[in-house]
């Protein structure tokens, strides 16, 4: 719909800036939890543009429970690929054999798969349809240029010059969040000098739902299963090398891809155009401000070594939705300082913890130091021989904590 100047109209309860999966999940959760709330999503991209994203993401069990509680997983499950088991290797690119140091199987964890691989486009489309059906207002093709914080609401100026008022403004506009900068919220973090090459590969033989994480000197090379003898790759390289690979000819790219992928799934072919994304750690110093909250990548960006980026964003959405909905049920302001403080307490420690874990893993494995190689391989081997410890690793990566927001435990707010 086209935005109009509603400065004289009653303010929205929540205005979400960003129409990706986190922004849409938050808006849907708010509307499902408290249908009387007036929720709007502002997205500078035309409606439906994000649904054309050709990448895929790993949905951990807690995020799957959330999507099921929101009525979205039922749409996605038929096209999702379960991750049944996983192997971890540590080697050099030139090594003829890659010994497996760590394995995870479903039997060692729970009855459910560790995760499901879901196309990003399908995920956004399902959330978008559910948000529309729930009554979320959509303002597409329009972004936020500025906002002014008042006592009772935010006065938000959109790119078309119109004005919206909202009791709470949520920035879900990505790692380079304009709204975070406008709010004066600083970040802490650093680059890794690495980029992640993302591409889908077609192969001759079935993967049987197996995910592979190959730790190579330049960084992890992850092979994640997709339906129809296809896999999604997250291939970490030094930034200069990654840029040369994606900008070069397809023949050279195919040779380098085969060196890392191997021949265990037969002949392979890259589908579509590979893209490289700079990698780094970024965590906002604050997640909230007066009538303002950061959610998803606007609050944090971590290394993809553990595949937790999307799942962290869904945790943010679940926590913020529950904090706001419970405040509204008590007759409090959706943008109250108390509700936002609860959200920040809920999410900041977990985010910092996950950021440090992924940072440590990347530093430990993205090198060819002989001493470190021996230490980490011994450590992986020990974990592989201790079923209790393996189950703990699986649970920490996939399952919701008992104190987690209700949606992550499959419960309605």
């Amino acid at each position: 719909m086209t935005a109009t100047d509603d400065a004289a109209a009653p303010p929205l309860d929540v205005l979400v800036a960003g129409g990706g999966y986190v922004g849409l999940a938050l808006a849907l959760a708010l509307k499902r939890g408290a249908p009387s709330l007036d929720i709007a999503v502002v997205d500078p991209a035309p409606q439906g543009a994000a649904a054309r994203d050709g990448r895929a993401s790993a949905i951990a069990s807690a995020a799957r429970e959330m999507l099921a509680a929101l009525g979205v997983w039922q749409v996605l499950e038929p096209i999702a690929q379960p991750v049944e088991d996983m192997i971890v290797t540590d080697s050099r690119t030139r090594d003829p054999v890659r010994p497996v140091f760590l394995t995870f199987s479903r039997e060692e964890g729970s009855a459910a798969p560790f995760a499901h691989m879901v196309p990003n486009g399908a995920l956004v489309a399902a959330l978008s349809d559910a948000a529309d059906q729930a009554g979320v207002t959509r303002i597409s093709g329009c972004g936020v240029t500025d906002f002014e914080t008042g006592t009772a609401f935010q006065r938000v100026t959109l790119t078309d010059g119109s004005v919206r008022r909202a009791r709470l403004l949520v920035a879900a506009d990505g790692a380079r969040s304009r709204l975070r900068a406008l709010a004066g919220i600083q970040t802490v973090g650093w680059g890794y000098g690495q980029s992640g090459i993302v591409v889908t590969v077609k192969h001759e033989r079935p993967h049987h739902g197996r995910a592979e994480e190959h730790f190579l000197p330049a960084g992890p090379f992850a092979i994640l299963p997709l339906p129809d003898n296809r896999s999604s790759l997250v291939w970490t390289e030094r930034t200069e090398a990654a840029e040369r690979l994606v900008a070069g000819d397809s023949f050279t790219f195919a040779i380098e891809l085969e060196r890392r992928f191997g021949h265990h799934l037969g002949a392979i072919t890259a589908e579509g155009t590979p893209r490289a994304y700079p990698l780094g750690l970024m965590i906002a110093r604050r997640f909230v401000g007066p009538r303002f909250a950061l959610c998803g990548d606007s609050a944090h960006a971590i290394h993809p070594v553990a595949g937790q980026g999307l799942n962290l964003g869904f945790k943010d959405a679940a926590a913020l939705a529950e904090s706001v909905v419970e405040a509204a049920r008590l007759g409090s302001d959706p943008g109250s300082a108390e509700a936002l403080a609860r959200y920040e307490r809920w999410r900041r420690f977990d985010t910092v913890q996950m950021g440090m874990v992924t940072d440590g893993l990347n530093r430990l494995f993205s090198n060819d130091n002989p001493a470190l190689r021996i230490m980490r391989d011994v450590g992986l081997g020990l974990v592989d021989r201790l079923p209790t410890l393996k189950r703990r690793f699986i649970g920490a990566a996939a399952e919701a904590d008992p104190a987690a927001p209700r949606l992550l435990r499959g419960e309605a707010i």
Side-chain angles (χ1 to χ4, degrees):
M1 61 179 283
T2 302
T4 58
D5 193 327
D6 73 340
L12 297 160
D13 290 302
V14 183
L15 179 63
V16 180
Y21 42 74
V22 172
L24 290 170
L26 171 63
L28 176 59
L30 288 166
K31 198 66 177 175
R32 287 284 175 84
S36 62
L37 290 177
D38 195 359
I39 312 296
V41 174
V42 176
D43 187 6
Q47 190 162 341
R52 293 191 289 272
D53 186 344
R55 294 171 296 172
S57 296
I59 306 293
S61 60
R64 184 176 68 243
E65 293 291 338
M66 174 180 173
L67 293 172
L70 294 175
V72 175
W73 183 247
Q74 296 83 333
V75 177
L76 295 170
E77 187 172 17
I79 60 171
Q81 169 63 54
V83 179
E84 302 289 354
D85 62 3
M86 180 176 180
I87 63 170
V88 178
T89 74
D90 185 12
S91 62
R92 300 175 177 87
T93 308
R94 64 179 180 272
D95 290 349
V97 178
R98 290 181 183 168
V100 175
F101 288 96
L102 184 58
T103 62
F104 293 106
S105 65
R106 187 197 287 207
E107 291 74 18
E108 293 166 323
S110 65
F114 304 135
H116 285 79
M117 292 299 298
V118 176
N120 286 5
L123 175 60
V124 172
L127 286 167
S128 180
D129 290 344
D132 290 341
Q133 293 169 17
V136 173
T137 301
R138 305 288 298 281
I139 306 171
S140 301
C142 204
V144 174
T145 60
D146 202 0
F147 64 91
E148 181 181 347
T149 305
T151 304
F153 52 80
Q154 297 276 17
R155 188 175 185 274
V156 183
T157 303
L158 305 185
T159 51
D160 63 359
S162 65
V163 174
R164 297 271 170 165
R165 298 188 303 160
R167 293 187 174 90
L168 172 62
L169 174 62
V170 179
D173 55 339
R176 299 180 180 179
S177 172
R178 174 179 172 81
L179 273 69
R180 184 184 65 228
L182 289 173
I185 296 177
Q186 301 297 312
T187 64
V188 61
W190 43 82
Y192 292 123
Q194 298 171 315
S195 290
I197 300 173
V198 179
V199 66
T200 299
V201 171
K202 179 77 174 177
H203 38 79
E204 281 186 311
R205 302 185 190 124
H207 46 56
H208 301 296
R210 168 170 288 181
E212 304 177 23
E213 184 93 67
H214 300 289
F215 287 112
L216 302 172
F221 182 88
I223 302 174
L224 306 169
L226 294 175
D228 304 322
N229 282 13
R230 294 159 59 246
S231 292
S232 176
L233 304 188
V234 182
W235 169 2
T236 305
E237 281 288 342
R238 302 300 175 193
T239 295
E240 299 81 2
E243 290 176 349
R244 285 197 303 270
L245 282 166
V246 298
D249 62 273
S250 58
F251 179 73
T252 301
F253 183 85
I255 291 175
E256 293 299 322
L257 171 61
E258 189 174 84
R259 288 181 66 208
R260 291 156 180 81
F261 194 99
H263 304 278
H264 59 296
L265 295 180
I268 58 173
T269 306
E271 295 185 340
T273 303
R275 299 184 183 278
Y277 300 88
L279 302 177
L281 175 69
M282 182 281 292
I283 300 176
R285 292 186 179 274
R286 293 184 289 116
F287 282 18
V288 301
R291 300 192 174 278
F292 181 80
L294 300 174
C295 198
D297 288 351
S298 65
H300 45 71
I302 64 173
H303 197 282
V305 61
Q308 292 299 305
L310 175 144
N311 296 288
L312 273 184
F314 278 160
K315 289 180 179 180
D316 293 346
L320 183 55
E322 187 166 328
S323 300
V324 170
V325 166
E326 290 194 347
R329 287 175 180 166
L330 293 173
S332 182
D333 191 326
S336 68
E338 294 78 11
L340 296 181
R342 183 190 181 199
Y343 164 63
E344 185 167 50
R345 287 194 304 270
W346 221 340
R347 292 300 309 134
R348 184 158 175 77
F349 176 76
D350 178 59
T351 300
V352 172
Q353 184 180 48
M354 182 58 71
M356 293 301 99
V357 167
T358 55
D359 182 77
L361 285 172
N362 184 54
R363 292 178 187 276
L364 177 62
F365 285 95
S366 296
N367 62 77
D368 200 22
N369 183 295
L372 281 178
R373 179 179 292 277
I374 292 171
M375 290 173 56
R376 68 201 187 202
D377 292 349
V378 169
L380 290 173
L382 287 174
V383 172
D384 198 50
R385 289 164 176 79
L386 296 172
T388 301
L389 189 56
K390 288 175 73 172
R391 284 194 292 270
R392 183 172 294 183
F393 269 84
I394 295 168
E399 297 172 2
D401 184 276
R406 293 190 187 99
L407 283 172
L408 297 174
R409 290 178 275 133
E411 303 171 8
I413 299 176

